[in-house]
Amino acid sequence: MPLPRLGTRSVRLRTAPAVFVVLAVALAGTLLASTLGGPRHGRTTGAPSDHVVIDVSQSRCGHGWTRPEPGVRTFDLHNSSDGAAEVYLEDPGSQAVYGEVEGIGPGTTRQLTVRLGKGAYAFKCVPDDADAVTGPTVHITGGERGPGAAPVTEHDLIPPALAYQKWVGGGLDDVVRLTAKLKDAIDAGDLATARSAWLPAHLQYERLGAAYDAFGDVDAAINGTDAGLPGGVRDKDFAGFHRIEYGLWHGASAAGLRAPATALVKAVTGLRDSWSQTRMDPAQLGLRAHEILENTVQFELTGRSDYGSGSNLATARANLDGTREVLSRLRPLLTTRYTDLPGLEADVDRAGHTLDGFRHGARWTPLDRLSRAQREQTDAVLGDLVERLASVATLCDPRRTV
């Protein structure tokens, strides 16, 4: 089924900031393209002499580039049309993209900075409501060009999306099985066993992070928080794993947790049973690879999602597992587009090693028990990885070619 443009990860993420305003990020450790806010109207004033003003319109796309030279160059992309557009700087033969700017409003100017080298280049203007137009080809005879990437289409993303969706189906089977164990312990009045059973069930669900948008409203019933609820943790709509977590670690009785446990099992079972009829949006897969850990840094590493179990670092590790699963499905596309893919994979391993250092058998160190140095190291390792994953989201963002 179709998904919203930017998804959410449980109720607590519905206020999370958009991942991208302009898709222009560091690719393979080198600047692919940088975009700066240009003036609201007209052309850039006081621009350095090496800036080149490029027309963005259907009739004059790419016009204005009369002196092609190698090196780092900044283009002032001026939209002279009456509608919004996005612009790619590409090799017209291979269609490899060397820079892009999205959402250039009518009458406005945005900047694009790229490193140019030997080869052919052309600007492609892609209006919101019209066909794409490719401007004149420009040839540069010397220098080393920056990295480029072949565009990814939605068709390219269908096989990895289907493979990932099948994996999620198996994961939901495990969620149902583990959640049933949690419910059985609560029904038996054995809260010590229930506390032990809660974490494996919750972590298995957390590993499915890239699918949360496709889960729809049922995600709130499974993994929602009390954020935005008038009654907070006592609100009647506070449900799911975190509702049970709060009760288990705040002295609730087994009798008081039976109804939430029954509702949780019902929700995950219903989700599993309907999953085969659900269709994930392939275009969202690359974005999710970035979003899972971005949300981890925002919510797990700050303790905002802790309701008493002290298991945020375990959740962060499960989120990392989920990210790795997405990357494994995207790897065939990334191998030929992301030159520092081995470096990214090494960073994923490094993050896993860092988080595993806080595991002691079935127990994990709570966030408030970390030393300042441990907190800083964890934040830095996960934060750096989030920045790298932004490149994956950009590379796997389907581009219009016509």
Side-chain angles (χ1 to χ4, degrees), residues 27-28 30-33 65 68-73 89-99 113-122 137-150 339:
L27 177 65
T30 307
L31 192 67
L32 167 64
W65 193 3
E69 298 175 342
V72 177
R73 293 291 178 267
L89 179 62
E90 65 180 24
D91 182 322
S94 67
Q95 291 191 317
V97 176
Y98 292 91
T113 300
V114 293
R115 188 172 72 243
L116 304 174
K118 183 178 180 179
Y121 298 87
T137 299
V138 169
H139 295 275
I140 293 178
T141 57
E144 182 180 350
R145 67 167 69 186
T339 58

Side-chain angles (χ1 to χ4, degrees), residues 25-26 290 338 382-392:
V25 300
H290 173 273
Y338 191 5
L382 270 294
D384 288 348
L385 184 54
V386 168
E387 289 186 14
R388 274 188 175 270
L389 288 167
S391 297
V392 172

Side-chain angles (χ1 to χ4, degrees), residues 265-336:
V265 170
K266 180 179 179 180
V268 296
T269 301
L271 177 60
R272 180 201 60 186
D273 293 346
S274 64
W275 183 245
S276 63
Q277 304 303 314
T278 303
R279 291 294 176 266
M280 293 183 63
D281 183 355
Q284 298 292 308
L285 202 56
L287 176 60
R288 300 292 172 243
H290 173 273
E291 191 177 55
I292 293 170
L293 284 191
E294 182 187 49
N295 291 334
T296 299
V297 170
Q298 185 177 2
F299 294 97
E300 307 305 337
L301 296 190
T302 59
R304 291 168 62 182
S305 56
D306 180 19
Y307 285 85
S309 67
S311 60
N312 287 82
L313 293 172
T315 302
R317 187 61 171 89
N319 294 159
L320 184 65
D321 290 342
T323 299
R324 193 189 298 273
E325 288 293 336
V326 178
L327 290 175
S328 71
R329 303 312 189 277
L330 294 173
R331 199 176 196 283
L333 298 177
L334 295 173
T335 298
T336 57

Side-chain angles (χ1 to χ4, degrees), residues 12 34 42 64 73 109 112 118 143 155 213 228 236 271-272 289 295 300 335 394:
R12 67 175 180 266
S34 62
R73 293 291 178 267
T109 301
L112 172 68
K118 183 178 180 179
H155 180 76
D213 235 12
K236 63 179 179 61
L271 177 60
R272 180 201 60 186
N295 291 334
E300 307 305 337
T335 298
T394 300

Side-chain angles (χ1 to χ4, degrees), residues 38-80:
R40 285 187 170 277
H41 305 286
R43 59 178 72 235
T44 304
T45 59
S49 58
D50 62 345
H51 284 217
V52 180
V53 178
I54 300 295
D55 196 301
V56 178
S57 65
Q58 283 192 289
S59 60
R60 291 181 54 78
C61 176
H63 284 246
W65 193 3
T66 58
R67 296 177 57 190
E69 298 175 342
V72 177
R73 293 291 178 267
T74 297
F75 297 96
D76 296 330
L77 306 176
H78 177 67
N79 186 353
S80 61

